[in-house]
Amino acid sequence: LADYDQLVAFGDDENDLLMLKSVAHPVAMANASQSVKESAEIIALSNEEDGIAQIIGNHGTYNINMARRMHDFRTELMIAE
């Protein structure tokens, strides 16, 4: 089991809000509704631009620093496998 501070979820619509509020690092897709974007820590590229793959990377690691460099986000941290 993962520690809470390692939990990441991706969402794009209202039905994802509960899930996003249940994890340490909620990520909204660029094509997400406004309420989903407001609940997210960062906003990934859209589904059509492989936003999840860009955030997770080749090794299944959520690299928030890379995501923030791509989109100029708020704080510094990294979650590794």
Side-chain angles (χ1 to χ4, degrees):
L1 293 175
D3 292 330
Y4 174 78
D5 65 335
Q6 295 179 319
L7 296 177
V8 179
F10 295 83
D12 65 354
D13 208 345
E14 307 298 315
N15 64 318
D16 296 322
L17 285 171
L18 181 60
M19 172 183 63
L20 293 172
K21 291 176 182 178
S22 300
V23 299
H25 304 286
V27 180
M29 306 309 292
N31 55 291
S33 66
Q34 187 60 34
S35 61
V36 171
K37 288 179 180 178
E38 290 170 1
S39 70
E41 181 176 356
I42 64 168
I43 300 172
L45 297 174
S46 73
N47 296 337
E48 293 178 4
E49 298 171 294
D50 297 325
I52 293 174
Q54 292 291 324
I55 299 290
I56 292 178
N58 294 331
H59 302 290
T61 301
Y62 175 68
N63 186 333
I64 197 156
N65 292 320
M66 181 220 34
R68 288 197 175 113
R69 281 194 305 271
M70 288 179 357
H71 298 285
D72 192 28
F73 295 110
R74 350 182 182 132
T75 60
E76 295 274 325
L77 68 106
M78 182 174 169
I79 299 172
E81 290 181 310

